[in-house]
């Protein structure tokens, strides 16, 4: 790691503030542009299906740019960059089934959170309405969830936060957990929080072992693609409901698949690349 061509920055509270400020500036810039457009052209861009995609992209890009300029370049004299190299084919055969297994386990765990009642009921209805808005334009949904979100989110949560914590001296398992919890928090609802934390741990583990940010990006995109297809063609984000099987069966299959490929990945073949 000391001889790595990539900047060895650290992540602290200042880095967190920098990311938030960058996100705020990017979001405000999009909002101001929309206000300008409304005044000049009498059209509200927020009503366009692609506006949320653009707004999120600008916000994430500005957050990453702020962290790069104010933290990375000033402390390492290098620009922010990541290892995006591929891995051997056998590693792919281990990490994708492992991710699929955790997807099933996380679905069962998230299903334990109530969707009715005075608090959860109203919250779930609001969350469902937001999800329905994303399906209005399937093309925009796929671009945003399968292509853009995995890239931006993995750069921030695995590439910046997790890696920055490890560079700071935090033990890898703690850095993976912290980054995953933050990953869950930004999703803004208890159902996705649970899934994001669990899946984030797998993404973080794969990144730590392969040292390539491309791997969690691909796994993240794989997860979002599966969920998008479930919503678009199955009209639900649940494997159990779409395939009409018990949540307990989903849990059992998920545990078996995840455990098997986790063992192969971590113990049997001990996948562990070096970053140079």
């Amino acid at each position: 790691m000391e001889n790595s061509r990539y900047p060895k920055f650290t992540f602290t509270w200042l880095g967190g503030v920098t990311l938030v400020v960058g996100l705020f500036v990017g979001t405000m810039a999009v909002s101001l542009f929309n206000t300008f457009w409304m005044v000049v052209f009498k059209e509200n861009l927020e009503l366009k299906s692609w506006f949320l995609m653009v707004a999120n992209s600008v916000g994430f890009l500005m957050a990453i740019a702020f962290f790069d300029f104010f933290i990375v370049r000033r402390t390492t004299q290098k620009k922010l960059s990541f290892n995006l190299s591929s891995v051997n084919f056998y590693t792919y055969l281990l990490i994708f089934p492992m991710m699929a297994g955790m997807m099933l386990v996380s679905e069962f765990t998230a299903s334990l959170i109530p969707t009715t009642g005075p608090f959860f009921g109203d919250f779930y209805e609001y969350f469902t309405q937001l999800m329905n808005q994303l399906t209005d334009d399937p093309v925009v949904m796929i671009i945003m969830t399968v292509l853009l979100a995995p890239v931006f989110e993995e750069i921030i949560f695995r590439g910046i936060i997790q890696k920055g914590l490890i560079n700071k001296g935090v033990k890898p398992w703690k850095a993976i957990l912290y980054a995953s919890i933050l990953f869950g928090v930004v999703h803004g609802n208890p159902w996705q929080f649970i899934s994001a934390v669990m899946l984030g741990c797998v993404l973080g583990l794969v990144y730590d072992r392969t040292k390539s940010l491309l791997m969690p990006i691909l796994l993240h995109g794989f997860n979002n693609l599966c969920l998008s297809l479930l919503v678009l063609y199955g009209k639900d984000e649940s494997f159990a409901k779409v395939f009409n099987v018990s949540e307990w069966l989903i849990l059992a299959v998920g545990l078996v698949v995840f455990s098997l490929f986790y063992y192969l990945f971590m113990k049997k073949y001990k996948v562990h690349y070096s970053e140079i």
Side-chain angles (χ1 to χ4, degrees), residues 10 20 26 41 46 69 90 115-116 127-128 132 134 142-144 164 190-191 198 203 214 218 222 239 272:
T10 60
V20 172
F41 299 102
E46 289 184 358
F69 182 79
Y90 192 75
T115 57
T116 58
F127 167 63
T128 302
N132 289 337
L134 290 177
I142 293 296
I143 293 174
M144 183 169 68
W191 302 278
M198 298 178 72
L203 296 172
L214 177 63
L218 293 178
F222 167 69
F239 286 98
H272 199 164

Side-chain angles (χ1 to χ4, degrees), residues 184-212:
V185 169
V186 299
H187 281 76
N189 65 83
W191 302 278
Q192 287 187 321
F193 170 80
I194 295 296
S195 296
V197 171
M198 298 178 72
L199 295 172
C201 286
V202 175
L203 296 172
L205 175 66
V206 170
Y207 181 42
D208 182 60
R209 291 284 168 161
T210 64
K211 299 298 186 292
S212 172

